[in-house]
Amino acid sequence: MAKDLVCGMEVNKDEAAASSLYKGKKYYFCSPVCKTKFDENPEKYLKASENKGCDVNFGSQTSQEKSLPKPENKHGAMTERIDLPIVGMSCASCASTIQRNLSHLKGVEKANVNFATSKATIFFQPQDIKPEDFITSIRKSGYEVGTVTVELPIKGIQCASCVQKIERALMQTRGVTKAVVNLATERAKVEYLPTEINLEEIKRAIESTGYKVLELSPSDEGLDPEKAIREREYKKLKTKFMVGLSLGLIVFLGSSRHWFPWIPEIFGNFYVLWALATPVQFVIGWQFYKGAWGAFKHRSADMNTLIVVGTSAAYLYSVTATVFPSFFKVGGIKAHVYFDTSALIIVLILLGRLLEARAKGQTSDAIKKLMGLQPKTARVIRDGKEMDIHVEEVLVSDIVTVRPGEKIPVDGIIREGKSAVDESMITGESIPVKKSPGSEVIGATINKTGSFKFQATKVGKNTALAQIIKLVQDAQGSKAPIQRLADVISGYFVPIVISIAIATFIIWFNFGPIPSLTFALLNFVAVMIIACPCALGLATPTAVMVGTGKGAENGILIKGGESLETAHKLDTIVFDKTGTLTKGEPEVTDIIAVNGFSEEEILKYAASAEKNSEHPLAEALIKSAKEKEIKLFDPEQFNAIGGHGIEANINGKEILLGNAKLMRDRQIEIKNLETKAEDLAQDGKTPIYISLAGRTAGLIGVADTLKESSVRAVGKLQKMGLKVVMLTGDNRKTAEAIAKKAGIDNVLSEVLPEDKVHEIKKLQSGGRRVAMVGDGINDAPALAQADIGIAIGSGTDVAMEASDITLIKGDLSGVVSAIELSKKTIRIIKQNLFWAFFYNTAGIPIAAGILYPFFGILLNPIFASMAMAFSSVSVVSNSLRLRRVKLRD
Amino acid sequence: MLVKIIVTVFGAGIIILVNWYFLFSRRKTFQAELKEKGIQEIKVVVKGGYSPDTIVVKKGIPVRLFFYRDETADCSDTIVFGDFKIRKALPAFKTTVIEFTPEKEGEYVFTCGMGMMRGKLIVR
């Protein structure tokens, strides 16, 4: 072991991240940062090495973990060590602030805060200070400690003393930072440090007091109880409806004995009808009274108000007509009763609610599905042991193992092993994706073939899935501008309908035919009942919910109703070239051999020469050689000639690799290749000359190739009538060559990155509605400037922040799908709004009897209630049609 | 004739009353309480409407609203703060917490999922 003189950490010589030779002695460092610091002023650190170093290190996780001293080795038996995960550190100076504050606490022997692993390691004297004080100190510094909170249901808590007993037991358990037991809910809320203790140990601590912890899967929390209540409500509603329907039908048949003469006379009796209709009105229909009264107290009026006033009017009139038949007798005609009207209206509205509840439940299916994807447990390796823990307990930088067929619990990077992963649930991509060390994996996707170990990079609410859920939830909560008018109207709707109904009553009463009171009453009820603000209110949100949910299922994340609405009006789509239309990684496309060399030889020498280079073109050569399973030499000498190419020495032969200028400078004859090089350049490719031992060997063409999906997507967008533009920093020739292949006519080339925004603005000032498609990170300003910014191929929060639509998959067909989806959603919204407006504006006057003077048509209130129930159900059902939209070809 | 006049006058009176009561009457406002932690808090009971339904909060300070839904009626099962992009399910007989920080002065309407039940958040 050696000591890092800069940060004071113990470093294993074999695993040290860096070392320096100074005055004949070798010094080891935990990270290159420390080495740089040391090299700048070695004397300072050598002198200070007597005193305890107190600087921050950036050590990579492995060297850090392995090199941490065991407490007993260095600090004696009494010292204890604790690791605290820290949240919210954004820079190295944050780490040093926390470290400084922790070091100054009494009882702390040494504190080490590692920015790279987001962990604080503290050695302390337990008799002087408690772990809680560290948390307080860290919080005071402005950061959060990565504690985990769980709620555990406990069986058999009966008294306040039990509560205290459990709380005390928990607080005395190391690693528990907070424990509150609630007697009423019989639950313990425990906040703990997952680095110190796990859920099982907490359960054991509780159970040691004699109480049993009930099984709980934390992910179900918040979802299940709600569902249970909903289902209970639904069942209750169904029972009410069935009972109401039976009673209502008898009342209806009894009231219509002139149509159904076989009905016993007793059911025609007004008192019997009254007795049958009353439970429907006040028991089955009680929920409407309750709702209306609640609203009334708040000086607002809703559907319930209309139903209650309408049915009560019919009911009370009928009661009066039953008890005082002479009161309403006009011209010798005995007054009729309308118990069937009031009862059937209530039953039909219940039916509407029933259907609506079921349909509405389906509109949020997509988000429920996403939430259900969250895995519950993870198998991590801690202290060399594999253990199953709750997914909430997984920490950043934990090593997680995954077997075939298992769900990947959190986001991370593969460290060991290979496999294919089904990512369809997140990206919509149906073919499993191959993964090897270095590949990123997404939580909630399913491992198919092999086992692997990966390092967690994002956990909890930072995982791609959690971000997606949050985004979809936000989107579903957002409003589309198209809804504004409906919103304004629904606020005034009910009072206005009541006013119209009363006016209807007055007009019929004053000017209507005899019996005018009956006509006035029936039309009053019909107006009240037919009006349906629900349809108006449901028109947009249900469609936005289903539309955004449908998108999420296909890897298309739409930010909200507004994005949805703008997207359907687009007329221009601007694609960034590199990484969007193209793969973003250059590939070897052509090899031209001359002077008796073979193509394989050329690639072999070129790739070998570039073996130690990090230039993107070098990567293309090496990748191509690897694909062809060509074994590479080790270059004996390697020298990069800035702006021209490289020279290397392999097996004593001098190799030159580079542009025409390099060859000319070295007097290599390339005349026979120049026209071919010109052709390559015309085609948008970069020509690289190669010479071996002073002889021209050939020419290699390297180019950033188009994605397979680009041509198809561009073609489809053009077919949809959109103007497609390509934006790139490349020179005109290369740009045009690529654009031609992609089928794009409009090219904006040689655009500097900072000018992309300007180009978008120019298009917009020409009256165009522009979507910009880019990778979301480099193009963020242009994405923000465009009417719709579409970020592709990433689920990072930066990209989601800057864009209106995020396509998780890198495939450009998502752009087409997103626009199609927005068009379809807006079409559904328009249909819904049209229906809702048309329904109310046509329905209310008809119910008021406007057709009567011309055609003698009046609307029976029962039909009015049927229409009402149908109208809101139809709107929701129409929105649900979006679920069946086909987005993939 | 007299009956007709009475019915007309009476009906017109009710129309005026209805519109005044539901649309134009002044509502009581409630100021959210500023807790030590620098968060403004207020409890709202959801039952056929929001009580209180007019809430006054200060600009730039985080607001924490506790919505207790004291009913199972379908209508109130969701709360929407459109201007803050919040749409949340309110489980029956449970308290749901909604947090955000209003950055701009103005009046913001919050509603149930269908826009029938309404409340107002006044940011000063």
Side-chain angles (χ1 to χ4, degrees), chain A residues 225-226 229-230 233 236 291 294-305 353 356-357 360 473-474 476-479 487-488 490-492 494-496 498-499 502-503 505-506 509-511 533-534 536-538 541 545 559-560, chain B residues 3-5 7-12 14-15 18-23 25-27 45 47-53 69 71-75 77-78 80-82 85-87 89-94 111 113-118:
Chain A
E226 176 67 0
I229 290 178
R230 263 174 200 280
E233 277 302 300
K236 218 164 107 188
F296 184 80
K297 276 196 303 193
H298 292 97
R299 296 179 184 245
S300 69
D302 59 11
M303 262 334 277
N304 294 316
T305 318
R353 291 255 162 118
E356 192 187 305
K360 247 167 65 185
Q473 269 174 337
D474 285 354
Q476 296 193 333
S478 70
K479 285 192 169 177
D487 267 355
V488 172
S490 59
Y492 302 100
V494 177
I496 290 171
I498 297 176
S499 308
I502 296 171
F505 185 92
I506 297 171
F509 188 78
N510 289 347
F511 309 109
C534 288
L536 225 47
L538 290 170
M545 279 176 86
K559 214 173 206 175
Chain B
V3 181
K4 284 186 181 178
I5 293 170
V7 166
T8 309
V9 171
F10 190 66
I14 293 179
I15 291 178
V18 162
N19 284 289
W20 169 80
Y21 184 79
F22 289 126
L23 298 178
S25 62
R26 256 190 90 82
R27 281 143 206 247
V45 177
K47 194 174 185 183
Y50 305 105
S51 14
D53 60 2
R69 180 159 160 244
E71 63 181 352
T72 52
D74 223 22
C75 216
D77 64 0
T78 314
V80 181
F81 282 80
K85 290 199 169 173
I86 294 169
R87 182 187 193 95
L90 300 179
F93 309 116
K94 276 199 174 160
T111 65
M114 295 180 349
M116 297 294 305
M117 285 162 51
R118 329 187 120 227

Side-chain angles (χ1 to χ4, degrees), chain A residues 360 362-367 370 471-484 487 535-553 556-566 568 804 818 821-833 875-883, chain B residues 80 82 85-87 113:
Chain A
K360 247 167 65 185
Q362 289 171 346
T363 58
S364 55
D365 270 0
I367 199 110
L370 282 174
L471 194 106
V472 176
Q473 269 174 337
D474 285 354
Q476 296 193 333
S478 70
K479 285 192 169 177
I482 198 170
Q483 191 186 349
R484 254 176 236 146
D487 267 355
L536 225 47
L538 290 170
T540 321
T542 51
V544 169
M545 279 176 86
V546 181
T548 49
K550 177 83 191 174
E553 276 173 23
I556 300 164
L557 304 177
I558 301 163
K559 214 173 206 175
E562 204 173 330
S563 314
L564 209 56
E565 202 177 321
T566 318
H568 98 285
D804 302 288
L821 181 66
S822 83
K823 283 197 170 165
K824 283 184 175 137
T825 310
I826 296 297
R827 197 189 310 148
I828 294 273
I829 291 176
K830 283 185 177 160
Q831 287 167 358
N832 284 350
L833 284 175
V875 163
V876 182
S877 312
N878 195 35
S879 296
L880 284 176
R881 286 202 305 138
L882 277 172
R883 293 204 305 177
Chain B
V80 181
K85 290 199 169 173
I86 294 169
R87 182 187 193 95

Side-chain angles (χ1 to χ4, degrees), chain A residues 712-723:
Chain A
R712 211 158 16 115
V714 167
K716 272 196 178 167
L717 289 169
Q718 283 167 338
K719 228 189 222 166
M720 285 162 84
L722 293 152
K723 179 180 168 181

